[in-house]
Amino acid sequence: MKSDAINVPQNEIAAFLYFSPLSTKCFSAPFTMTKQQANWSPYDNNGGSCVAIAGADYCVIAADTRMSTGYNILTRDYSKICKLADKCVMASSGFQADVKALQKQLAARHLIYQHQHNKQMSCPAMAQLLSNTLYYKRFFPYYSFNVLGGLDNEGKGCVFTYDAVGSYEKVGYSSQGSGSTLIMPFLDNQLKSPSPLLLPAQDAVTPLMEAEAIDLVKTVFASASERDIYTGDKLEIVVINADGIRREYMDLRKD
Amino acid sequence: MSKSAIEMPPKGGFSFDLCKRNEMLAQKGVNPPSFRKTGTTIVGLIFQDGVILGADTRATEGPIVCDKNCEKIHYMAPNIYCCGAGTAADTEAVTDMVSSQLQLHRYHTGRESRVVTALTLLKRHLFNYQGYVSAALVLGGVDVTGPHLHTIYPHGSTDTLPFATMGSGSLAAMAVFESKYREGLTRDEGIELVTEAICSGIFNDLGSGSNVDICVITKYMPQGGKEYLRNHLQPNPRTYTSSKGYSFPKKTEVLLTKITPLKEKVEIIEGGDAMEE
C-alpha cells in the first residue's frame, strides 16, 4: 500500500537503532529503572578456616590467624580459638564480632555452672550448651561456624561440628570456614570416617598418633592457603591431652 | 506490514535478549556463574632509559585461586608490552587481537609500531563495547618518539602518566609509588621500586599474590631492547610439605574385566598401489 512506503513502522526503527553497536538512545536499554532496595547488612564475613581432629587420647584444634574483610586484611594475628573449659576448646570462623559475643555468652554460662555444680563442664555438656545458645538466636543468628574439640569424661578425644543455628553432631574430625571446601575432602580421604548410622557403632576417633595428626593439620592448612585467599598468615594449633593444653604456631603464606 | 522486527544478519558483539530473564532469576536467588578475574596488581613506571612494567601472578575465581602463576604481562610488539587486569579472557583476547593488528600495520607501513597506535586500537575497541569487555590495562613501550606509559579503563578512557597502577591492588601499589617515585630513576632503582609496589599489592590485597613479573623496555639495542623477567621475585613458597608424604588408596574396586575387540584382524596384502606424489 502507498502509505506503507512513506511511513516506516516505528518498531522497525527501534529495532534498527537497538542493533547498532553505539545506541545513543536507550530504546531497549538492558537496565530498566528498578526500585532501590535496602542494602545494609548487619553481618560481615571475616574469613578464615578451622579444623579439629579427635584421637584416642588427644584432640587437635587448629585455625589460621588472618582476619579480613572484602579484599583487605584487617590483621594477621587474630586468634579464632577460645578455651571454654578445662578440657574443651572452640574454634570459630565467620563474623568475628558475633563469635566474640558468643564466646562471652558461653563463658558466662560456664561460670554459673561452676557455681552451681562445683565442677567444670565436660565437653559433651558444653557441646549441648553451645547448640542451645545458637538456636536461641534462630531468627537473628550468630554468623559463626564452629568446631568444638576436647576430651570427654573418659579422656577420649571428641569433636563436635556446628552450623550457624546450632545443628550439631559428634564426629571424628571436621573443618569449617572459607577453606573448609578445600580441607574437608582431603580429611575424608585420609581419615575415612565411618558413617554414624552403621551398626555396631564404630569409633569415630582416628587411630593416628598425635604427631601424625599435627602433621596432617599443617599440611592441610599449607594447601588451603595456596588456593583460598582468605586463609593464611599464621596457623595456631591447640592440642589437648591428659597433660593439659598446649599451643603451637606455624607460618603460612602471607599473600 | 508485519509487526516482527527486521531480519538482521547476526552481527558480532553482545546480545541483550536474556537480560530480563537474568534479572528475574537473580531476584529469585539464582545468580549467574562468576567469571575468572585476575584480581590483580599491575604497575608501570617511566625511568631514565625507558619503561618498566610489573605484575603479580595470581588469577582468582571468586575466593579461590585458580592459577598461582599466570602471566599478566602480554606481548603487543617487540617494543611494546601491556599488563592486564579484570576478566582474564577479556584481557587475553583484546591484547592478542591488537597485537595481531599491530603486526599487520608494521608490515603495511614498514616501520616500528608506536605506543599511541596500540593505545588508539585498544581504546576504540573497548569504547565500542561500552565497558562490557572488562579489561583494565597498563600499556607501556618505547618507540621513535620516546618512552610512553598509558592506562586504559574498561569503558575506553585513557591516561598518560609517568607512573600508574591498576587492579584490586592498585591502591596498595600506588601508596608505594606516591611515596618513592622520582624522575630519572636508574634501571636497578626502577626495578626495585616496581618490585616493592607489586609486593605491597601481593601482601596487602587478597586478590593479588604469588610472584612478581617484571618487563623492562629500553631504547638501546635495535628495535628497542627489552627484558622479560618472568618470576623476578618469588616471595611466597609453599610453607609446609610433609616429610612422609600421603598415599591415596584407590576407592573403586574392579568388579569385572571384559575386553571386546572392535575390529576383526586386518590382513596385509603385499604389493598394494604405491601412493602417488
Side-chain angles (χ1 to χ4, degrees):
Chain A
M1 287 182 57
K2 206 177 175 189
S3 55
D4 277 353
I6 302 166
N7 306 321
V8 184
Q10 285 303 305
N11 54 357
E12 292 187 59
I13 295 178
F16 178 75
L17 274 169
Y18 172 70
F19 280 115
S20 74
L22 258 191
S23 316
T24 45
K25 295 191 188 179
C26 294
F27 268 99
S28 325
F31 303 109
T32 47
M33 278 298 287
T34 44
K35 214 196 245 183
Q36 255 231 323
Q37 305 251 330
N39 56 9
W40 180 84
S41 168
Y43 296 114
D44 187 16
N45 191 348
N46 298 123
S49 319
C50 338
V51 161
I53 302 179
D57 60 349
Y58 66 89
C59 186
V60 175
I61 301 100
D64 70 321
T65 61
R66 172 178 282 175
M67 187 161 145
S68 52
T69 169
Y71 272 134
N72 302 311
I73 297 179
L74 291 170
T75 176
R76 297 189 193 271
D77 202 7
Y78 189 82
S79 175
K80 297 185 183 63
I81 302 181
C82 174
K83 180 177 146 186
L84 297 175
D86 237 3
K87 301 277 179 185
C88 188
V89 162
M90 177 176 78
S92 319
S93 85
F95 181 36
Q96 292 302 323
D98 272 357
V99 167
K100 203 40 130 204
L102 179 64
Q103 288 169 353
K104 279 178 97 172
Q105 184 68 297
L106 293 171
R109 290 301 306 274
H110 184 226
L111 191 58
I112 295 170
Y113 182 95
Q114 286 180 299
H115 288 147
Q116 289 175 342
H117 297 89
N118 199 23
K119 64 171 181 168
Q120 295 261 329
M121 266 176 108
S122 66
C123 198
M126 186 57 86
Q128 183 70 57
L129 175 64
L130 175 53
S131 170
N132 291 343
T133 311
L134 290 170
Y135 198 78
Y136 198 70
K137 292 230 318 147
R138 170 67 178 83
F139 298 110
F140 183 14
Y142 289 107
Y143 193 114
S144 164
F145 299 97
N146 314 296
V147 284
L148 193 76
L151 302 178
D152 61 15
N153 288 323
E154 294 149 22
K156 220 164 69 162
C158 59
V159 167
F160 297 90
T161 186
Y162 294 78
D163 72 353
V165 282
S167 160
Y168 80 113
E169 189 189 358
K170 180 171 189 290
V171 286
Y173 60 89
S174 178
S175 74
Q176 292 282 355
S178 59
S180 70
T181 46
L182 299 166
I183 296 172
M184 207 52 178
F186 183 69
L187 291 180
D188 282 336
N189 179 278
Q190 295 294 311
L191 298 175
K192 291 196 259 285
S193 174
S195 166
L197 303 170
L198 281 174
L199 288 173
Q202 284 188 26
D203 217 358
V205 298
T206 176
L208 286 179
M209 303 296 294
E210 189 182 300
E212 291 175 311
I214 294 176
D215 186 77
L216 184 64
V217 158
K218 288 181 178 175
T219 306
V220 133
F221 268 92
S223 306
S225 311
E226 297 273 318
R227 291 288 176 177
D228 178 29
I229 59 178
Y230 298 116
T231 302
D233 288 332
K234 217 164 56 170
L235 173 62
E236 185 182 3
I237 310 175
V238 168
V239 184
I240 309 179
N241 51 24
D243 304 329
I245 301 187
R246 78 162 199 282
R247 212 170 279 251
E248 248 183 74
Y249 292 95
M250 185 186 89
D251 268 348
L252 295 173
R253 275 176 78 128
K254 301 193 177 339
D255 64 353
Chain B
M1 290 294 290
S2 67
K3 286 182 187 156
S4 60
I6 309 170
E7 284 295 324
M8 300 285 283
K11 275 187 173 175
F14 295 97
S15 158
F16 293 108
D17 298 335
L18 293 174
C19 276
K20 279 214 152 197
R21 179 206 78 152
N22 291 344
E23 231 176 87
M24 185 270 294
L25 283 173
Q27 269 167 16
K28 301 212 167 147
V30 179
N31 289 315
S34 64
F35 313 120
R36 179 187 183 226
K37 308 194 91 193
T38 48
T40 297
T41 310
I42 48 173
V43 306
L45 63 68
I46 296 193
F47 72 113
Q48 71 187 29
D49 302 328
V51 173
I52 307 180
L53 300 175
D56 75 305
T57 61
R58 171 184 282 183
T60 53
E61 253 165 7
I64 303 291
V65 176
C66 58
D67 192 344
K68 292 188 275 188
N69 206 190
C70 69
E71 286 186 30
K72 299 187 190 179
I73 306 186
H74 307 284
Y75 169 87
M76 299 287 267
N79 59 326
I80 308 173
Y81 275 77
C82 184
C83 307
T87 307
D90 286 338
T91 57
E92 286 278 341
V94 92
T95 47
D96 279 352
M97 189 192 74
V98 170
S99 170
S100 307
Q101 287 177 344
L102 285 175
Q103 177 146 69
L104 289 169
H105 194 249
R106 277 201 295 285
Y107 287 139
H108 196 74
T109 57
R111 288 178 170 77
E112 187 187 65
S113 295
R114 301 193 186 190
V115 183
V116 285
T117 316
L119 180 72
T120 308
L121 290 168
L122 285 165
K123 69 150 63 174
R124 290 244 175 100
H125 180 85
L126 292 175
F127 182 73
N128 212 21
Y129 283 88
Q130 288 290 291
Y132 285 100
V133 176
S134 173
L137 310 166
V138 170
L139 176 72
V142 180
D143 54 33
V144 287
T145 40
H148 296 276
L149 179 69
H150 305 281
T151 52
I152 310 166
Y153 291 83
H155 285 265
S157 63
T158 59
D159 288 318
T160 307
L161 297 162
F163 57 93
T165 66
M166 295 285 260
S168 59
S170 61
L171 269 65
M174 189 52 98
V176 172
F177 272 176
E178 287 288 9
S179 313
K180 300 190 176 176
Y181 180 83
R182 53 188 169 79
E183 281 186 29
L185 289 164
T186 64
R187 180 184 174 278
D188 290 332
E189 288 171 339
I191 290 181
E192 203 188 306
L193 184 57
V194 164
T195 309
E196 214 183 316
I198 298 287
C199 280
S200 171
I202 284 174
F203 292 112
N204 300 112
D205 174 44
L206 296 175
S208 317
S210 293
N211 314 120
V212 181
D213 281 352
I214 305 261
C215 185
V216 185
I217 311 170
T218 56
K219 53 185 181 253
Y220 304 112
M221 296 190 221
Q223 300 151 349
K226 63 170 189 294
E227 272 175 85
Y228 188 80
L229 305 168
R230 169 82 171 138
N231 289 355
H232 172 70
L233 191 69
Q234 294 181 304
N236 290 300
R238 190 186 162 87
T239 43
Y240 183 79
T241 321
S242 168
S243 45
K244 70 175 173 70
Y246 290 94
S247 65
F248 297 95
K250 285 191 166 71
K251 287 288 202 176
T252 44
E253 307 163 35
V254 176
L255 295 174
L256 170 69
T257 310
K258 185 178 173 196
I259 302 173
T260 313
L262 293 171
K263 262 191 176 164
E264 289 166 10
K265 279 197 177 160
V266 178
E267 279 178 30
I268 304 170
I269 308 166
E270 296 254 44
D273 287 333
M275 275 171 58
E276 288 191 13
E277 288 254 313

